[in-house]
Amino acid sequence: QLQTRHPSRFYCFGRSINRNVAWTWAAVLAQGLADSIWAGTVLVKFLNELLGNNAYVGYIEAASGAANLIVALPVGACADRLGKGRVARWGGALIPFGVALTAYAASYGTSHPPTDSGGRLSLLLLFVAVQCLWGVVSAVGNGPAQALYADSVATGERSHAYTALFVIYLLASVVGPALTIVLFESHGEAGRTWSLTPLRNVIFAGLGFELVAMGGYLMLRDKHAVGDEEPPTDGTRPASDAEAGGGGGSGGGSGEGGSGFASTGSLSSH
């Protein structure tokens, strides 16, 4: 029997999944790895070692949150007007700029550690700019991507879809620290003492996964939302149905709260 396959879905082993859902899962996996490798403890330790002032870390984190807050509302209006997928792709296109600026700041700070208050202030301003950029990336990419993810799942399947999203991010959050341990151990004694050079190199590794996440953003399309998709006519089951489990309801609630998709641009949950 000839099977009719809808262009908005991927098909494999008798199951089908919406393309936006699949690409969001890929982006969440990559961003979860990035977050847990460079954007939490490692970045905080790097800044403390570099600047020698805990207050500076707070200033940098506040800059990221402020940038996110300022940009979020206009971005939401643009997403409603121009399309969620288009705006999410803009967020993905900004990721290389965030990666480049972060890599430059980490490299410059490692090779030119400050020796006076003027040098520390200059690096503070540089990292404030870095985190402001990541705050913008988060607002432009994450909000519309989350909304499009919800639009790409049938209403009765959303709890299971968000459970899957949450589990993928948690899995990445477990694997990321394990990779970080390996990276530090590869630097020998310097890695065990968390000096600037191994910290910088671990940051570089995490930034690499940010670039992988960019690919997921760039593949999101409004035309693949459920509203534009016909039900499968080939006898396949949606992946979220096939994976439904007993704990779907509570997990879905956590996912819809924002835990499932990485919040790029914050020191604690970048």
Side-chain angles (χ1 to χ4, degrees):
Q1 181 181 359
L2 182 64
Q3 296 181 343
T4 302
R5 298 196 171 192
H6 197 277
S8 293
R9 305 188 72 86
F10 288 121
Y11 294 83
C12 185
F13 302 116
R15 297 180 181 179
S16 65
I17 183 172
N18 182 278
R19 290 177 181 267
N20 286 335
V21 171
W23 288 118
T24 301
W25 286 357
V28 164
L29 180 62
Q31 277 199 313
L33 289 169
D35 291 351
S36 56
I37 289 174
W38 83 271
T41 305
V42 170
L43 181 58
V44 170
K45 177 62 175 176
F46 180 83
L47 293 173
N48 281 332
E49 285 287 319
L50 185 64
L51 303 176
N53 190 326
N54 290 331
Y56 285 175
V57 178
Y59 299 152
I60 292 169
E61 186 172 11
S64 171
N68 191 306
L69 181 63
I70 292 171
V71 175
L73 289 178
V75 164
C78 287
D80 290 338
R81 183 180 180 87
L82 303 176
K84 302 177 185 70
R86 175 182 293 183
V87 176
R89 292 195 298 275
W90 292 351
L94 289 174
I95 288 178
F97 296 97
V99 169
L101 186 58
T102 306
Y104 170 76
S107 296
Y108 183 83
T110 303
S111 57
H112 300 86
T115 58
D116 55 26
S117 59
R120 284 189 287 272
L121 180 60
S122 296
L123 283 173
L124 170 64
L125 295 176
L126 177 59
F127 277 99
V128 164
V130 166
Q131 289 302 102
C132 283
L133 180 53
W134 281 117
V136 172
V137 171
S138 175
V140 176
N142 283 348
Q146 282 272 18
L148 184 59
Y149 182 79
D151 291 346
S152 301
V153 180
T155 302
E157 301 168 6
R158 284 180 182 170
S159 63
H160 306 312
Y162 274 101
T163 298
L165 191 71
F166 188 57
V167 168
I168 289 170
Y169 188 76
L170 288 181
L171 177 63
S173 300
V174 171
V175 174
L179 292 176
T180 304
I181 293 172
V182 174
L183 291 169
F184 277 122
E185 285 296 323
S186 68
H187 288 84
E189 186 61 29
R192 297 186 187 98
T193 58
W194 285 37
S195 60
L196 283 177
T197 298
L199 285 167
R200 178 203 62 192
N201 292 342
V202 171
I203 289 174
F204 286 171
L207 292 175
F209 284 105
E210 298 283 5
L211 294 174
V212 176
M214 174 187 68
Y217 280 112
L218 296 180
M219 297 304 296
L220 297 176
R221 296 291 186 275
D222 291 287
K223 66 181 180 180
H224 295 326
V226 169
D228 300 322
E229 176 184 307
E230 298 173 1
T233 58
D234 55 0
T236 61
R237 291 187 300 162
S240 55
D241 283 345
E243 295 165 0
S250 60
S254 300
E256 289 194 60
S259 300
F261 205 58
S263 180
T264 307
S266 135
L267 293 181
S268 59
S269 179
H270 167 74

